[in-house]
Amino acid sequence: MLALRNTLPSPPAFRRTVIVALTLGALSGCASDVNDALEGIGYREARYEQLASMREYRSCRDQGMELDRQARNSGTSGTYLASARVLEKCETGLGPDSAGIPREERMRAYALSVQNYFKGGDVEKARDNFGKFKKQFADYDFYYPDGTSFVTTMEALLGQHERWTFG
């Protein structure tokens, strides 16, 4: 006949096993808390960098827009060119933190840069930046308030299509 034996360790050994298990569990919990805190700090730093980049971009864009307003009021080509240069600098100054800035906002500013180069008389720079615009924002277009296409309009003004292709 089989005898039943107590398979539990003796009380002092059982206590030690439980204490060791609880201690190891607590230590592993502390280590994950430290990792979580470090990830939180990294996330906050990355988010701060992104917000700082957005602020810089918008400040730069506002300067370019103000110069555009002044150019429209004065009608001077130099002010149009200054506005175009500032707006171009805003776009080229963006780094990997540009994800937080909406595409349409960037498109508007860069399209205005192309348009202002054209109005300022630097047609070659307008062509160059228009090519960059089409490359950067491929498959997207910007529409003026009257519904006309920025891409089609600039292609016509910059001579990138034959006249007969436009109705």
Side-chain angles (χ1 to χ4, degrees):
M1 186 181 264
L2 294 173
L4 293 175
R5 282 195 302 162
N6 187 357
T7 56
L8 292 175
S10 65
F14 180 71
R15 276 190 222 135
R16 269 186 264 144
T17 305
V18 170
I19 290 172
V20 168
L22 290 174
T23 303
L24 289 176
L27 287 176
S28 68
C30 290
S32 69
D33 287 345
V34 169
N35 287 339
D36 290 344
L38 291 176
E39 287 177 14
I41 290 170
Y43 170 77
R44 287 184 195 105
E45 287 175 356
R47 184 68 179 143
Y48 176 79
E49 295 287 329
Q50 188 179 37
L51 290 173
S53 176
M54 288 171 60
R55 266 191 302 266
E56 285 176 32
Y57 174 81
R58 289 188 172 135
S59 174
C60 180
R61 183 209 54 203
D62 291 345
Q63 290 173 358
M65 295 291 193
E66 177 60 27
L67 284 170
D68 176 64
R69 188 189 61 72
Q70 291 173 9
R72 282 183 280 131
N73 290 337
S74 70
T76 60
S77 62
T79 313
Y80 277 116
L81 291 174
S83 170
R85 284 185 201 106
V86 169
L87 291 169
E88 178 184 18
K89 182 185 74 147
C90 298
E91 181 65 26
T92 58
L94 285 175
D97 296 322
S98 66
I101 303 167
R103 180 186 317 110
E104 186 176 324
E105 183 178 335
R106 291 177 52 212
M107 285 176 64
R108 284 178 186 265
Y110 205 66
L112 185 59
S113 145
V114 172
Q115 185 175 297
N116 284 349
Y117 272 121
F118 184 79
K119 287 179 179 180
D122 193 347
V123 177
E124 203 51 46
K125 188 67 174 172
R127 275 192 188 106
D128 183 45
N129 280 9
F130 181 59
K132 291 176 185 175
F133 176 89
K134 290 195 320 185
K135 188 176 183 180
Q136 177 70 29
F137 304 110
D139 301 326
Y140 292 98
D141 197 354
F142 173 73
Y143 292 93
Y144 292 108
D146 67 354
T148 56
S149 161
F150 167 74
V151 172
T152 304
T153 301
M154 290 312 294
E155 285 174 345
L157 291 173
L158 297 172
Q160 295 184 350
H161 274 287
E162 298 296 325
R163 288 179 170 257
W164 62 270
T165 62
F166 296 103

